[in-house]
Amino acid sequence: MSSENIPLLEKENLDLPQKRGRGRPPKDESSKDEGNRRLELINCAARLFRVNGFAATSTRDIASAAHMHSGSPFYHFESKQALLFEVMQSGMHSAMARQNQALNTLSGHPCQSNAKEQLRCLIRHHFEVLLGTGNDFIPVMLYEFRSLDTHQQAVISQLQRQYEAPWIPVLNELYQHQLLSCPVKMARLLIFGALNWSVQWYSAQQAASLDELTDSAILLFLHPHTPSSK
Amino acid sequence: MSSENIPLLEKENLDLPQKRGRGRPPKDESSKDEGNRRLELINCAARLFRVNGFAATSTRDIASAAHMHSGSPFYHFESKQALLFEVMQSGMHSAMARQNQALNTLSGHPCQSNAKEQLRCLIRHHFEVLLGTGNDFIPVMLYEFRSLDTHQQAVISQLQRQYEAPWIPVLNELYQHQLLSCPVKMARLLIFGALNWSVQWYSAQQAASLDELTDSAILLFLHPHTPSSK
DNA sequence: CCTACCGATCGGTAGG
DNA sequence: CCTACCGATCGGTAGG
């Protein structure tokens, strides 16, 4: 006879090292592969959420794109919504880090004369975040905010404020020197709108480059410095 | 005397509030009533699509909002997608009619000097279309375009081009007079983005009025006319 | 426009 | 991470 008579409770003693119970993996060692699988899930989810929207994307679609079976995403994430939240959070942290890097390439002295260059740098980087190849995370964040619950929305809003924080002194500077005529708070909302909307119409094949987009935006928003006002 | 002899086909006696005229409408007004019910469906669908998105809104949600039972929307529309398409089409036709009315209130002579006033008029009306109370149709069109099939997208794109047509000569005029520094094609895309994005942040309670929004947008986009450039 | 219903699909889970 | 599965819900329909 066989192991059929072994009581169920004793089967737990058969656990091998690689087996663990259900649920997400512990954060510690040995999870390099699992971290890769988790990252692959996030990347696939970001793309599908961007293309089809959150509600129209099934967890089966995501699993299939990541070469998993239908139930497996729930080994890494407790729910579809938690996966969306993770996409947005990691996208924002990455975008903020790259924005700070971009700003650091400019001169270390934030003097008045280069506020225009700082704005150009911020706009150029934001177009990269929105339109760069493989950058699906921020568009998802922008267009699926309502799919989060209240607490998640509060977290993402806080990250958005952090991301926008470097823009405010730059816009203030430009406003004080009359390169910007619109009050700063409203200018920030309208400028971000103009940039964020580009994900709706930009096509890398036929349209302008991101540098050309940036030039156009600067021309639209900033007034030429009239010599008499020097 | 009560409901004793009424044969109940329903296996459940639902306690829904009974509306008048559950049976057939009077013959000579049947088309009018059906038109009203159809319009109510469109209005309810527009609001729900705007608040929750197309994919996250069920046809049962729409039926309930219109005080119908679950299968009844399909008496008026062949599919959920056809209802979305109708929302967008009727919204665009209404918006175009009102845009033309707004333009007609301006002076009948489209001379160069009032191009700025024409742009202000177009922007002010567009904010009304986006943010006015009960105007859910255009936001739905802007944010659910991908939920249409290819043919429907082509129809809506054509309507969008018609809606934007009056903007182009105005922007050309402003560009030629250096009130606008950004090339017109790009300016149009960026300006519509700035305006369209307002549905993401505008709150009628706490924010500026639509007139103030319009003033800010004009300040942001149009350069002051330097006397020397005449 | 309602009643009653269907097949498909969904998010998620138990157990290994 | 897979296998097998569940209850809920979905868009849509037949017939009146």
Side-chain angles (χ1 to χ4, degrees):
Chain A
M1 291 300 287
S2 63
S3 61
E4 288 175 356
N5 291 328
I6 296 176
L8 279 175
L9 286 177
E10 287 186 13
K11 281 189 177 178
E12 294 182 352
N13 295 331
L14 300 177
D15 285 358
L16 297 173
Q18 69 271 20
K19 178 190 179 295
R20 60 168 63 90
R22 293 188 62 258
R24 275 128 280 127
K27 286 281 185 177
D28 47 286
E29 31 48 70
S30 85
S31 56
K32 181 188 174 187
D33 267 11
E34 291 187 352
N36 286 341
R37 303 298 282 146
R38 182 186 151 94
L39 278 181
E40 196 171 340
L41 270 176
I42 293 176
N43 286 322
C44 292
R47 175 149 27 179
L48 289 168
F49 288 159
R50 178 179 190 168
V51 174
N52 304 317
F54 173 73
T57 301
S58 72
T59 57
R60 282 166 175 80
D61 295 335
I62 299 166
S64 175
H67 306 99
M68 293 178 186
H69 286 71
S70 66
S72 302
F74 298 97
Y75 171 74
H76 296 280
F77 297 94
E78 68 175 0
S79 69
K80 182 187 175 188
Q81 194 183 40
L83 178 49
L84 173 67
F85 186 43
E86 188 61 35
V87 166
M88 294 189 183
Q89 277 189 301
S90 64
M92 278 306 287
H93 282 117
S94 166
M96 284 191 290
R98 284 179 287 154
Q99 180 172 259
N100 289 333
Q101 283 176 10
L103 287 174
N104 286 338
T105 66
L106 295 180
S107 87
H109 312 82
C111 63
Q112 303 169 350
S113 60
N114 65 358
K116 183 172 178 178
E117 281 313 303
Q118 290 181 32
L119 182 66
R120 181 189 300 275
C121 174
L122 288 168
I123 288 176
R124 178 60 177 82
H125 171 262
H126 195 61
F127 274 131
E128 181 68 33
V129 159
L130 294 170
L131 308 174
T133 52
N135 288 348
D136 295 316
F137 293 72
I138 301 304
V140 169
M141 185 206 65
L142 291 173
Y143 287 94
E144 297 293 346
F145 187 77
R146 64 179 165 198
S147 299
L148 300 175
D149 65 34
T150 307
H151 166 259
Q152 293 167 334
Q153 288 187 351
V155 172
I156 297 298
S157 292
Q158 169 65 12
L159 292 176
Q160 288 176 329
R161 277 189 292 274
Q162 287 181 38
Y163 181 85
E164 296 183 14
W167 295 63
I168 296 176
V170 175
L171 293 176
N172 276 325
E173 193 76 31
L174 294 166
Y175 184 71
Q176 284 165 18
H177 290 74
Q178 284 119 36
L179 292 174
L180 187 70
S181 295
C182 176
V184 167
K185 182 183 174 183
M186 198 64 73
R188 182 171 50 88
L189 291 167
L190 293 170
I191 289 173
F192 267 106
L195 307 185
N196 290 343
W197 195 252
S198 67
V199 311
Q200 303 269 12
W201 52 262
Y202 183 75
S203 158
Q205 283 83 334
Q206 66 189 27
S209 71
L210 301 190
D211 285 331
E212 291 168 325
L213 255 62
T214 304
D215 290 339
S216 288
I218 292 288
L219 282 175
L220 181 63
F221 300 136
L222 294 191
H223 299 174
H225 205 163
T226 54
S228 60
S229 68
K230 182 60 175 298
Chain B
M1 301 293 285
S2 53
S3 60
E4 70 290 356
N5 287 327
I6 299 175
L8 289 179
L9 293 178
E10 308 126 334
K11 61 180 178 183
E12 292 178 354
N13 190 3
L14 299 177
D15 242 358
L16 293 176
Q18 291 299 311
K19 284 179 60 74
R20 54 203 166 17
R22 256 304 150 81
R24 284 191 184 176
K27 292 182 175 67
D28 49 341
E29 292 188 2
S30 66
S31 66
K32 179 192 173 188
D33 267 13
E34 290 186 356
N36 286 341
R37 303 298 282 148
R38 182 185 152 94
L39 278 182
E40 195 171 340
L41 270 177
I42 293 176
N43 286 322
C44 292
R47 174 147 27 176
L48 289 168
F49 288 159
R50 177 178 192 169
V51 174
N52 304 318
F54 174 73
T57 301
S58 72
T59 56
R60 283 166 173 79
D61 294 336
I62 299 166
S64 175
H67 305 100
M68 293 177 185
H69 285 72
S70 67
S72 301
F74 298 97
Y75 171 74
H76 296 278
F77 297 93
E78 68 175 0
S79 69
K80 182 187 173 188
Q81 193 183 41
L83 178 48
L84 173 67
F85 185 43
E86 188 62 34
V87 166
M88 295 188 183
Q89 277 189 301
S90 64
M92 279 305 288
H93 282 116
S94 167
M96 284 191 290
R98 284 179 287 154
Q99 180 172 258
N100 289 333
Q101 285 177 9
L103 287 174
N104 285 338
T105 66
L106 296 179
S107 86
H109 311 84
C111 63
Q112 304 167 350
S113 60
N114 64 358
K116 183 172 178 179
E117 280 313 303
Q118 290 180 33
L119 182 65
R120 180 190 299 275
C121 174
L122 288 169
I123 289 177
R124 177 60 177 81
H125 171 262
H126 195 60
F127 275 131
E128 180 67 34
V129 159
L130 295 170
L131 308 174
T133 53
N135 287 349
D136 296 315
F137 294 72
I138 302 304
V140 168
M141 185 206 65
L142 291 174
Y143 287 93
E144 298 294 344
F145 186 77
R146 64 180 166 197
S147 299
L148 300 175
D149 65 34
T150 307
H151 167 259
Q152 293 167 334
Q153 288 187 352
V155 172
I156 297 298
S157 292
Q158 169 66 13
L159 292 176
Q160 287 176 329
R161 277 189 292 274
Q162 287 182 38
Y163 181 85
E164 296 183 15
W167 295 62
I168 296 175
V170 174
L171 293 175
N172 276 325
E173 193 77 30
L174 294 166
Y175 184 71
Q176 285 166 18
H177 290 74
Q178 285 117 35
L179 291 176
L180 187 71
S181 295
C182 175
V184 166
K185 181 182 175 183
M186 199 64 75
R188 182 171 50 86
L189 291 167
L190 293 170
I191 290 172
F192 268 106
L195 307 186
N196 290 344
W197 195 254
S198 67
V199 311
Q200 303 268 11
W201 51 264
Y202 183 76
S203 157
Q205 283 82 336
Q206 67 189 27
S209 71
L210 301 190
D211 284 331
E212 290 167 326
L213 255 64
T214 304
D215 290 339
S216 289
I218 292 289
L219 282 176
L220 181 63
F221 300 136
L222 293 192
H223 299 175
H225 205 163
T226 55
S228 61
S229 69
K230 181 57 180 298

